[in-house]
Amino acid sequence: MRLLIIISIIMFSSCGGGSSNTNILPDSHTSTASNSQASSSSSASDPAPLSLVPQPTTMVVQKTTFEIGLSANVQIDVSAVASAAALQKLIADLGVIHSADAPYKIQLQLVSNVDLGAEGYSLVINQNIVISAQTDAGLFYGIQTLKQLLPTVKQNTYSLPQLQITDVPQYAWRGSMIDVGRNFFTIEYLKKHVERMALFKLNKLHLHLSDDQGWRIEIKKYPKLTSVGGSTKVGGGEGGFYTQQELRDFVAFAALNEVEVIPEVDMPGHIQAAIASYNELACSDVTNLGLYTGTAVGFSSLCLTSSTVTYQFVEDVLTELTEIFSSQYVHVGGDEIKNDLYPQFIEKTNLIVKGLHKTMIGWEESSAGNISADSLLQLWNDNYNIKSATDRNIHLILSPCSYTYLDHGNYNGQPNTYTWCRSQGIPLERVYSFDPDNYALVVGIEAPMWSELVTTEATADNRLWPRLAAIAELSWSTKSNRQYSEFVLRLSALKPQLDKLGVNYYKEPQLNW
Ligand code: ACM
């Protein structure tokens, strides 16, 4: 490594550094710039619009440019760990080296400015490049914006518009979900995915770690969950699983990209892989105790009447899970099951999660239980009646299937895609038309990609991109600050960025790709 970064110690003791477990409820950032400054603006000279996704909250862009050469005086606040690594990589990729004598500086500074909240930043490019934020996460997002303004290949000089951007997300939950249960995806693929998410300021990766067809997380107390339950996948053939150490390393990698990993073990249904591993988890009258490689849903259940075995299992699994994942959140599934004891299961599981000092997330059906008010519910049927929960002030992650289920086609009739939620598929424009403002008590948006029909990494890329960029903009930029016709222009221009990350995206005809 030829690059040396001088860490210039600028201490702002009132500022926090970490970011991944900040309070995500909307009240925590009501006074942000996104609420008070409705739209982006350019100077009277109207330079070319900038190709940024998500669209920043406010921008003042000059006609003039700032040329930067191959050496820069780089100054980074000592506690900005993730953003220091990100800036280091960005400039190294462009051949820019640190020199204290360089004619301009690139500075990352932690400041105290409540308007920036936990993730906002300001980026000023004049005769220097200065990114300011209250947190490491904010600085990291400022760097992603800078990255999108720069080319992806080395040059002798780089020309940047002189500008001032102040940018704060609308929602704290900007998520992607990957179903690694039906089909297994390697840690290497998940790492690539995290880097791609980071470019678009997506910050929550929900891993659906178990389903009828596969159990993917090592649980030391129940080794057969992975040796048996992890052995296969939809359609048969070799499955796979992650060791606890692999997952710990992955969580740390994701944190350096400001992505929080939320684990889900789906219970009490979607559990055949666990039942095939430990038959006693099913009630004694159940005869279907084998591995399952088909695509049906709603047929398996933990035994809710012989509760000792079941709740010991739930507690043991969640205990090991919460020791691996640093997230405050644990997703317990809870979808697609009909059982009179289901509300009781959700309530007992909620108590177990609370006993582990974590916060429970359940799919929308979990609203049938009297769950604690700090829990989050994930809405997945567009019109599910969630009122019983919102009446109790329970907040929502929005994943309405007809807008956000990325296993549906990029276009009507795309082979190997689902149509059960929306027969015409979910094209990019449809994703973008989702309006989260129609819901109350929202922490953000998350796009699930179920993997019954997504069997390769290339197919996963095709289903995820470019549609996740639309999810990123919906969850970062306010309604008054987004418009599809210019979103496609901005996203079109970011093709080299996705190419550089090796994304096997769908060539959406509305983009110039
Ligand atoms: C779901 O799609 N069953 C959450």
Side-chain angles (χ1 to χ4, degrees), residues 4 6 66-75 91 96-106 127-128:
L4 272 180
I6 296 270
F66 173 47
E67 308 293 318
I68 65 174
L70 295 185
S71 70
N73 182 0
V74 180
Q75 300 181 5
I91 66 175
V96 175
I97 56 164
H98 166 73
S99 162
D101 303 329
Y104 74 98
K105 70 178 176 182
I106 304 177
Q127 296 308 310
N128 296 294

Side-chain angles (χ1 to χ4, degrees), residues 270 335-336 363 380 405 420 450:
H270 289 270
D335 56 327
E336 298 185 298
W363 293 106
W380 63 280
Y405 267 31
W420 63 263
W450 301 100

Side-chain angles (χ1 to χ4, degrees), residues 348-405:
K348 284 192 178 187
T349 300
N350 189 190
L351 288 179
I352 292 171
V353 171
K354 284 195 88 62
L356 294 165
H357 309 291
K358 296 279 180 170
T359 304
M360 187 177 86
I361 306 176
W363 293 106
E364 62 197 13
E365 294 95 320
S366 309
S367 58
N370 185 19
I371 56 178
S372 54
D374 64 327
S375 308
L376 297 179
L377 288 172
Q378 188 163 5
L379 191 83
W380 63 280
N381 282 292
D382 290 23
N383 298 316
Y384 193 83
N385 185 349
I386 204 92
K387 195 170 174 310
S388 63
T390 49
D391 280 351
R392 286 185 291 126
N393 209 37
I394 288 175
H395 284 65
L396 306 178
I397 300 166
L398 300 178
S399 304
C401 60
S402 85
Y403 293 92
T404 70
Y405 267 31

Side-chain angles (χ1 to χ4, degrees), residues 182 212-213 234-235 270 292-299 418 451-453:
R182 269 57 172 267
D212 289 314
Q213 300 86 346
V234 164
H270 289 270
Y292 181 70
T293 58
T295 58
V297 296
F299 60 89
Y418 268 139
S451 67
E452 290 97 325
L453 304 178

Side-chain angles (χ1 to χ4, degrees), residues 57-122:
T57 314
T58 61
M59 293 194 285
V60 178
V61 186
Q62 308 299 330
K63 209 173 184 178
T64 44
T65 56
F66 173 47
E67 308 293 318
I68 65 174
L70 295 185
S71 70
N73 182 0
V74 180
Q75 300 181 5
I76 303 175
D77 191 292
V78 73
S79 50
V81 179
S83 48
L87 181 61
Q88 219 163 330
K89 179 160 187 339
L90 174 63
I91 66 175
D93 282 356
L94 295 174
V96 175
I97 56 164
H98 166 73
S99 162
D101 303 329
Y104 74 98
K105 70 178 176 182
I106 304 177
Q107 185 176 5
L108 303 183
Q109 59 177 2
L110 289 170
V111 296
S112 187
N113 176 355
V114 287
D115 284 348
L116 295 177
E119 294 184 293
Y121 66 92
S122 100

